[in-house]
């Protein structure tokens, strides 16, 4: 059947496509195109919405152009970026291993208790007296004396202001006992010296001495390691301190 046409050459009104229908089709096509947007565009839209809503935008890791993240080769050590906390930056060198000990001050000591002790004597300076040292706190001279078991150390009572004992062991405690004779010449003394006093590493005890006019006085000193004092047969060593007032020219 032939299509009917009007005498003016145009198709009937019900067969023509209205302009509104074409506009509707174009709008649907635009909507479908926007729904098919790639995922990065949707992520950017989500970030904008988050900012408008007062939320922090989500951090999306940048993808490689190929879509494949690089992986470290098996057995390879990971590289440190400048911002890494373990990386050296700002001119700071990477931490190095601690140097072996060897620069510390250490004394060669003996296993014998007496040989780890030192006797300290304090004397006045020339032209001064022990009274100046003890009561006026004047400068003085300190002298260290080595100890040998079974031997004696001699001191001049006329120039002896203080007498002390020091434990020079760097790791062990010594117990020292001084004879009662010390009370004869001591201005004041610690009573523990006569019964046994424990001196830790580097510790010393000093006793002020009065200048008595006596011929000679010997004070016995005993020493034992503190960690052996309760043993069945502890090693106890002794030595002597000889005090005498020398005459001029002697």
């Amino acid at each position: 059947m032939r299509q009917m046409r009007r005498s003016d050459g145009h198709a009937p009104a019900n067969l023509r496509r209205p302009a509104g229908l074409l506009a509707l089709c174009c709008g649907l096509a635009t909507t479908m195109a926007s729904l098919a947007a790639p995922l990065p565009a949707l992520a950017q839209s989500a970030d904008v919405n988050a900012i408008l809503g007062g939320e922090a935008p989500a951090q999306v890791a940048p993808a490689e152009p190929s879509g494949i993240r690089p992986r470290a080769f098996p057995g390879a050590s990971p590289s440190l970026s400048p911002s890494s906390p373990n990386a050296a930056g700002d001119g700071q060198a990477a931490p190095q291993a601690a140097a072996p000990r060897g620069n510390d001050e250490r004394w060669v000591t003996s296993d014998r208790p007496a040989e780890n002790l030192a006797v300290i004597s304090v004397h006045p300076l020339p032209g001064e007296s022990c009274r100046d040292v003890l009561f006026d706190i004047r400068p003085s001279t300190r002298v260290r004396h080595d100890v040998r078991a079974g031997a004696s150390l001699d001191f001049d009572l006329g120039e002896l202001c203080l007498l002390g004992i020091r434990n020079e062991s760097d790791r062990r405690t010594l117990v020292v006992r001084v004879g009662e004779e010390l009370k004869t010449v001591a201005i004041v003394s610690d009573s523990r010296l006569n019964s046994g006093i424990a001196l830790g590493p580097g510790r010393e005890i000093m006793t002020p001495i009065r200048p008595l006019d006596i011929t000679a006085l010997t004070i016995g000193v005993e020493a034992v390691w503190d960690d052996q004092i309760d043993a069945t047969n502890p090693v106890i060593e002794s030595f002597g301190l000889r005090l005498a007032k020398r005459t001029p020219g002697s």
Side-chain angles (χ1 to χ4, degrees):
M1 179 181 294
R2 293 182 178 180
Q3 185 178 358
M4 294 179 64
R5 292 181 178 272
R6 293 174 56 181
S7 59
D8 56 0
H10 296 281
N14 58 351
L15 296 179
R16 287 184 295 176
R17 294 180 180 177
L21 181 59
L22 292 175
L24 178 60
C25 293
C26 293
L28 290 175
T30 303
T31 303
M32 294 302 293
S34 63
L35 292 177
L39 290 178
L42 293 177
Q44 294 176 4
S45 177
D47 289 346
V48 172
N49 293 334
I51 293 174
L52 293 177
E55 301 174 359
Q59 299 294 332
V60 180
E64 294 295 320
S66 61
I68 302 176
R69 294 181 180 273
R71 293 185 179 179
F73 189 83
S77 58
S79 59
L80 297 177
S81 63
S83 59
S84 173
N86 295 327
D90 298 335
Q92 296 181 358
Q96 300 178 355
R101 294 184 61 182
N103 296 328
D104 296 342
E105 182 178 352
R106 297 172 62 86
W107 289 99
V108 179
T109 56
S110 170
D111 290 334
R112 304 183 62 175
E115 293 182 356
N116 285 271
L117 289 176
V119 175
I120 310 298
S121 60
V122 178
H123 309 275
L125 294 178
E128 297 186 346
S129 64
C130 285
R131 177 180 294 273
D132 300 326
V133 174
L134 296 177
F135 299 103
D136 297 336
I137 319 299
R138 297 287 300 166
S140 58
T141 301
R142 287 172 61 98
V143 181
R144 176 186 175 278
H145 308 270
D146 291 326
V147 174
R148 289 191 301 109
S152 295
L153 295 172
D154 295 335
F155 299 96
D156 182 5
L157 270 175
E159 297 181 354
L160 183 62
C161 304
L162 293 103
L163 191 62
I165 299 176
R166 181 170 65 208
N167 177 10
E168 295 199 334
S169 171
D170 64 345
R171 56 188 177 89
R172 300 177 70 179
T173 299
L174 278 165
V175 177
V176 178
R177 183 169 63 183
V178 182
E180 296 288 339
E181 297 84 4
L182 178 63
K183 293 182 177 180
T184 303
V185 293
I187 296 177
V188 59
S189 65
D190 192 327
S191 61
R192 294 176 299 172
L193 281 170
N194 306 120
S195 58
I197 184 171
L199 296 178
R203 297 292 303 274
E204 69 178 24
I205 184 169
M206 304 294 295
T207 301
I209 303 297
R210 69 176 76 244
L212 292 180
D213 188 8
I214 57 178
T215 304
L217 177 68
T218 301
I219 304 172
V221 181
E222 296 176 329
V224 60
W225 291 115
D226 183 60
D227 53 18
Q228 294 181 0
I229 196 170
D230 294 326
T232 304
N233 295 310
V235 177
I236 302 175
E237 294 184 334
S238 60
F239 60 94
L241 304 174
R242 263 181 73 87
L243 281 64
K245 191 170 184 179
R246 298 175 185 171
T247 58
S250 61

